[in-house]
Amino acid sequence: MKLLVVEDEALLRHHLSSRLSEQGHVVDAVASAEEALYRAAEYNHDLAVVDLGLPGMSGLDLIRQLRSLDKRFPILILTARGNWQDKVEGLAAGADDYVVKPFQFEELEARLNALLRRACGFTQASISAGALVLDLNRKHASVDGQPLPLTAFEYRILEYLMRHQQQVVAKERLSEQLYPDDEDRDPNVIEVLVGRLRRKLEAQLDYKPIETVRGQGYLFTERCR
Ligand code: CA
């Protein structure tokens, strides 16, 4: 998933960015609300982690702005210990959940994953379409209980398409899931990866779940639960 991280403490920002990247996310990490607004206007994020205590525009004002711009992705706030007013105001401004600093990365990750699942209407830690099952925690795919070996990029594409089942997903959107920088994005690479993914799926399944919508993108046609 593509995440926006807004944290002014350089060390924590770096730590969040590297841990979340290791978990398979593409992370856009910025130090101010102003920069976050710019990124949010430019890219499609799936979730934002927002520190409330920021220099310049506050985290609360950032959340209000994002919501007024009709950005609907889940927002997880980071607040200082004991500052309960912050939590209440943050949730009232449009945030979905919070983590109190200092926190264990595992807690942040668990809350973030729950928000990502709920945002797509899934409440379990897995998504399935018939015999095909994705384990969202282990980032692992299987068919009829047998592991389906996918590369990290193939898995990310499949997870994204399944999370957005029955919606046309643009190639550009898939690129954003794989590469943090515009320069690295090439629609031909997505075509190659989707082609490979399709061959692996179709060798195991008796249906063809990924449809090409000419000029628009890809569609995961099966209903997922
Ligand atoms: Ca701060």
Side-chain angles (χ1 to χ4, degrees), residues 6-9 12 31 51-55 78 101:
V6 195
E7 169 58 66
D8 59 313
E9 286 168 49
L12 180 55
D51 176 35
L52 290 184
L54 293 171
L78 304 179
K101 288 181 178 180

Side-chain angles (χ1 to χ4, degrees), residues 142-180:
S142 61
V143 175
D144 281 326
Q146 295 302 310
L148 178 68
L150 298 178
T151 65
F153 276 13
E154 289 164 358
Y155 175 86
R156 280 194 210 178
I157 288 176
L158 180 59
E159 182 183 321
Y160 199 81
L161 291 174
M162 287 177 78
R163 281 182 188 269
H164 298 86
Q165 49 152 341
Q166 339 227 354
Q167 297 169 36
V168 178
V169 177
K171 280 182 204 165
E172 176 194 286
R173 193 100 198 221
L174 290 175
S175 269
E176 288 181 4
Q177 295 296 317
L178 307 183
Y179 306 104

Side-chain angles (χ1 to χ4, degrees), residues 57-175:
M57 184 194 289
S58 74
L60 281 176
D61 284 336
L62 169 62
I63 294 166
R64 292 190 189 106
Q65 284 256 14
L66 288 170
R67 292 308 190 215
S68 76
L69 292 167
D70 206 27
K71 297 290 176 189
R72 298 180 186 181
F73 45 70
I75 299 176
L76 179 69
I77 50 179
L78 304 179
T79 70
R81 186 195 288 277
N83 211 343
W84 64 268
Q85 294 94 332
D86 264 12
K87 284 178 224 164
V88 172
E89 281 186 73
L91 296 172
D96 299 279
D97 200 359
Y98 61 85
V99 171
V100 176
K101 288 181 178 180
F103 54 83
Q104 293 297 316
F105 182 79
E106 288 70 18
E107 183 190 357
L108 177 105
E109 193 197 0
R111 290 181 179 276
L112 188 146
N113 285 336
L115 286 176
L116 285 171
R117 283 200 305 272
R118 287 208 298 269
C120 298
F122 299 105
T123 52
Q124 303 294 319
S126 65
I127 303 179
S128 59
L132 174 65
V133 178
L134 296 191
D135 179 328
L136 300 175
N137 291 332
R138 291 166 58 216
K139 304 281 172 200
H140 170 272
S142 61
V143 175
D144 281 326
Q146 295 302 310
L148 178 68
L150 298 178
T151 65
F153 276 13
E154 289 164 358
Y155 175 86
R156 280 194 210 178
I157 288 176
L158 180 59
E159 182 183 321
Y160 199 81
L161 291 174
M162 287 177 78
R163 281 182 188 269
H164 298 86
Q165 49 152 341
Q166 339 227 354
Q167 297 169 36
V168 178
V169 177
K171 280 182 204 165
E172 176 194 286
R173 193 100 198 221
L174 290 175
S175 269

